[in-house]
Amino acid sequence: MLGQNVNFLRNRGTMIALLCCMILLTSCSDNTQKTEGNELGEKSVTILHSLPNESLDPHNEWIALRAGITETLLRLDDNMQVAPWLAVKWEAKDDHTWQFIIRDGVTFQDGTKLDAAAAKASFERAIADSKALAAALKIKNMEASGQVITFTTTEPHPAFATELVHPTASIVSITAENKMGKAAFNKAPVGTGPFQVNGYIPGQEISLSRFDGYWDGKAKLSAVKFLFNADANVRTLAFQSKHADIVYHLAPEALGTIGQDPQLAVQSVPSLRTHYFTYNPKSTSVSDILVRKAIDKLIDRDTIVKDIMLGHANPSNGPFHSLLPFGNKGGYTKFNPQEALTLLASAGYKNNRNGKLEKNGNVLQLKLIAFSGINPELPLIPLLLQSEAAKIGVDIQILSVEYPDVYIKDHTDWDLSTSSYLTSPRGDGASFINAAYVPGGSYNPANIRLDQLDPILKELNVTGDVQTRNLLIQKAVKVINEANVHSFIIHPNILVGVNQRVLNWKPGAEEFYIVTNKMDVR
C-alpha cells in the first residue's frame, strides 16, 4: 500500500514537473551554450539547488557563502574539523577573550582591504541584524588593531570559535553597504569570495562572475549560474537533460535511470541533517506524553529508509547521527501500531462506533504541517504517518506549506510539524541544542522549553574539554528523548547529481561550500 501511495504522489506530480522543467530549461538555455562551449574559452557551470532564497542577506541566509560570495574567519575541513580561512590563527586568551589574526593581503570584491577594523564592522552589522547570531556569539565587546581582532564574550564561551564557522558569520564589506544601501546590498552582497554577484532574481537564480582579485587564486571558472527550484522532479529532469551540471536533492526513484547515462554521476553523501516531527507545546491533543509516544511508534522508519529513501538514509534515534562521538548509541523506535494503541488506551482513548479513537466525546484528530517540496522525501513521510495512523483510528490532516517552521512560528492551530535541520555542522552538538530547546532559539519556532535541560546546558556552555562536552551532549539527548518533544525520523543522505564534465569538486556533508575557486570543467 505504501508503495502505491508513494508512486501515486510521484506520478501525479510528473506531468506538472515536466511543464515546470520546460520553463526551467528555457531559462537555462543561454547558460547552457556557455557551459558547453565558448569561443573566448570561458568556462561556466549551472548549479541547481532545492532551497529558493528570497534574499542574499549574508547574516540571515546561508546562500551568500554557499555561492562563493562570502567567507568566514574559520571553516570546516574535509574531516569536519575547524580550520583557518580568513583568519590564520586564533586562541582563547582566557574564558571570556578570543583573539584572531586575520589573513593579510585579502581584499573585498569592491577593492577595499580586509583588516581587523573591517571584520569588526562586519560583526557589528551581523549581531545587529541577526538575533540568532547575536545569541550564538554572545559578544560583549570587540577591539581591532591592524590584522588582530579581539572578542570579549558576555560569559565563558568555549565553543566560540566553532560558531564562527556558520555561514551567517560571513565577513562582508560595510564600506560597500554604506554606498549601496542595505536593500541593494542584500541583493548583491560584497564579500571576499572567489565570485561576485552579477544579477539576482529572488527565489530563482543568482548570476555570478569570477572575482579576479581573489586572495586564494583566481577561480578556474569565469561564471556560475546558481538556480533554485523546490520541485525534486524538475531538478532531476534538469540534471538528466544536462541543463544543469550540479543538482542537489535528486528524487531517489530516478537514480536507476540516471545511472544508465555515462555522462552523469550521483554522489550519495551521509549528511549532518536530521528530519523530525516537532510537537506543539500549546496543543491540548499532544500535551499528553503518552499521545506523543504513540505517534512516535506509528513512524515506520525502516520503511522510510527502504521505500522512500531507497536505502540512502539511516533511522534516527535522536538529533545527532549515532556515528558521531556525541550521538545516541541506543536503538531507534521501531514501528509498532499495537503498542501505539496500548499507549493511547492508557491516555483514555477508545474506539467509537466509526472506528475512530476518541476521549470524552472528542475524536483524536491531529493537524500536521508538512513541506510542500524542497527535499523529495519530505512531503512523503507525513503521508506514510497519516496512512498508518488511520489504520488504528487516528485522523491526521496534512497542511502542506513551503516552510513549516515559518508557519508554526506564526500559528497555534497545529499539533505536529515536519522539521529538517543540519544538527551538527560544526562538529559539535551544543549549538543545535541551544538553538532548538531554548525559547527564542533559531531552531525553536514552537518555543519548546525543557527545564531539565537548563543545568546540563549551563555546564555544557562553559565546558571546553571535548570528551566532557560529548558526554554532556549525550546526557542532554537522553532528556530530550525522554520528554518526546520531537520524534526524530531519519538522517538522510544528500543525493547530488554531478555531470562528469565537472572537475575538482565534491559535495560536503556540511552543505556549506558549494561554489569554490577550485571547481573546473573539462
Side-chain angles (χ1 to χ4, degrees):
M1 179 63 70
L2 169 68
Q4 293 176 354
N5 290 340
V6 170
N7 288 333
F8 171 74
L9 182 73
R10 287 170 171 160
N11 292 337
R12 184 178 63 181
T14 298
M15 292 307 297
I16 297 174
L18 283 167
L19 293 174
C20 295
C21 190
M22 293 304 296
I23 297 172
L24 173 69
L25 300 186
T26 301
S27 71
C28 294
S29 59
D30 291 341
N31 186 68
T32 302
Q33 293 170 5
K34 292 181 182 179
T35 298
E36 294 178 347
N38 188 297
E39 293 180 0
L40 298 177
E42 295 182 350
K43 297 183 289 186
S44 66
V45 298
T46 297
I47 299 170
L48 181 54
H49 204 278
S50 61
L51 294 171
N53 280 261
E54 299 301 326
S55 169
L56 301 184
D57 181 353
H59 294 142
N60 285 288
E61 304 289 345
W62 295 22
I63 186 59
L65 184 133
R66 283 175 163 166
I69 304 163
T70 62
E71 298 170 312
T72 48
L73 290 185
L74 306 178
R75 62 170 293 154
L76 295 174
D77 62 18
D78 291 341
N79 298 314
M80 300 304 294
Q81 300 297 310
V82 177
W85 208 4
L86 291 179
V88 292
K89 294 181 181 178
W90 67 97
E91 63 176 323
K93 292 294 186 179
D94 56 46
D95 288 346
H96 292 78
T97 309
W98 288 80
Q99 190 174 87
F100 294 78
I101 299 176
I102 294 175
R103 189 181 301 277
D104 206 359
V106 177
T107 59
F108 290 102
Q109 292 142 5
D110 63 347
T112 57
K113 176 179 172 58
L114 171 63
D115 55 14
K120 178 175 179 287
S122 180
F123 277 106
E124 287 171 344
R125 177 198 197 272
I127 60 180
D129 287 5
S130 172
K131 292 181 180 179
L133 188 63
L137 296 181
K138 305 174 185 176
I139 294 174
K140 179 181 180 181
N141 185 51
M142 291 181 282
E143 295 181 3
S145 176
Q147 296 300 114
V148 180
I149 184 168
T150 303
F151 299 90
T152 303
T153 57
T154 57
E155 60 188 64
H157 195 354
F160 181 77
T162 64
E163 295 292 347
L164 296 183
V165 166
H166 199 272
T168 57
S170 287
I171 305 298
V172 297
S173 171
I174 302 305
T175 299
E177 183 182 42
N178 290 338
K179 290 181 180 178
M180 300 166 63
K182 187 177 290 290
F185 188 83
N186 283 338
K187 294 180 180 179
V190 175
T192 60
F195 287 87
Q196 54 196 355
V197 180
N198 262 358
Y200 171 56
I201 303 175
Q204 296 183 42
E205 68 175 67
I206 312 170
S207 296
L208 302 161
S209 63
R210 179 171 55 211
F211 169 45
D212 289 341
Y214 182 54
W215 63 269
D216 193 31
K218 191 166 69 172
K220 304 290 186 182
L221 301 174
S222 57
V224 174
K225 187 78 75 175
F226 204 119
L227 305 174
F228 308 98
N229 196 291
D231 191 305
N233 289 313
V234 172
R235 295 194 303 273
T236 302
L237 287 168
F239 181 58
Q240 290 176 294
S241 63
K242 302 180 179 63
H243 284 80
D245 301 296
I246 297 172
V247 177
Y248 271 75
H249 306 129
L250 296 170
E253 69 272 16
L255 299 187
T257 302
I258 292 172
Q260 297 174 17
D261 189 329
Q263 297 181 43
L264 304 178
V266 176
Q267 297 200 29
S268 180
V269 183
S271 75
L272 303 176
R273 183 173 295 278
T274 307
H275 295 340
Y276 58 92
F277 289 131
T278 295
Y279 296 99
N280 186 355
K282 297 181 180 179
S283 164
T284 56
S285 298
V286 295
S287 60
D288 190 333
I289 190 172
L290 294 174
V291 175
R292 300 197 298 273
K293 287 186 175 295
I295 296 171
D296 198 53
K297 290 185 177 294
L298 291 174
I299 302 171
D300 193 343
R301 293 165 176 84
D302 291 323
T303 293
I304 292 169
V305 169
K306 180 176 178 288
D307 292 345
I308 293 180
M309 296 303 298
L310 302 182
H312 296 277
N314 291 99
S316 175
N317 64 4
F320 312 116
H321 200 296
S322 61
L323 295 178
L324 293 168
F326 45 84
N328 181 6
K329 305 308 177 186
Y332 58 92
T333 303
K334 290 287 188 176
F335 175 64
N336 195 321
Q338 189 55 51
E339 286 188 13
L341 269 174
T342 300
L343 286 165
L344 291 171
S346 299
Y349 286 92
K350 298 179 180 179
N351 283 108
N352 62 19
R353 67 176 67 181
N354 297 317
K356 302 289 186 180
L357 287 173
E358 67 174 40
K359 179 181 178 181
N360 300 325
N362 296 315
V363 172
L364 182 57
Q365 187 175 79
L366 305 175
K367 183 176 180 179
L368 191 164
I369 310 302
F371 281 92
S372 57
I374 310 298
N375 291 33
E377 70 273 10
L378 286 172
L380 301 178
I381 292 172
L383 287 175
L384 176 59
L385 176 62
Q386 180 188 52
S387 174
E388 297 300 343
K391 294 175 185 177
I392 66 167
V394 178
D395 184 18
I396 295 181
Q397 298 180 343
I398 296 175
L399 173 65
S400 295
V401 300
E402 189 171 15
Y403 296 111
D405 284 357
V406 174
Y407 179 92
I408 68 177
K409 186 176 182 179
D410 299 326
H411 298 79
T412 58
D413 62 335
W414 59 280
D415 300 293
L416 63 162
S417 176
T418 317
S419 296
S420 178
Y421 283 114
L422 288 172
T423 56
S424 52
R426 304 167 184 80
D428 184 275
S431 180
F432 175 79
I433 297 173
N434 278 285
Y437 298 99
V438 174
S442 57
Y443 291 177
N444 192 7
N447 277 318
I448 291 169
R449 180 181 179 85
L450 293 176
D451 292 337
Q452 309 95 304
L453 277 181
D454 289 347
I456 302 173
L457 279 176
K458 185 176 181 180
E459 184 178 358
L460 176 61
N461 290 337
V462 298
T463 299
D465 180 73
V466 174
Q467 289 187 341
T468 304
R469 288 179 66 81
N470 290 343
L471 291 173
L472 287 168
I473 293 169
Q474 289 178 326
K475 186 177 180 180
V477 170
K478 183 178 180 181
V479 169
I480 292 165
N481 285 348
E482 287 176 351
N484 221 128
V485 290
H486 291 124
S487 281
F488 300 101
I489 306 169
I490 59 169
H491 304 292
N493 286 12
I494 312 167
L495 296 177
V496 185
V498 184
N499 192 296
Q500 298 284 23
R501 67 186 295 273
V502 177
L503 304 172
N504 303 328
W505 187 89
K506 63 179 180 179
E510 81 296 319
E511 300 184 45
F512 287 173
Y513 316 113
I514 298 179
V515 178
T516 75
N517 65 320
K518 307 297 184 185
M519 65 193 311
D520 201 354
V521 292
R522 299 182 191 280

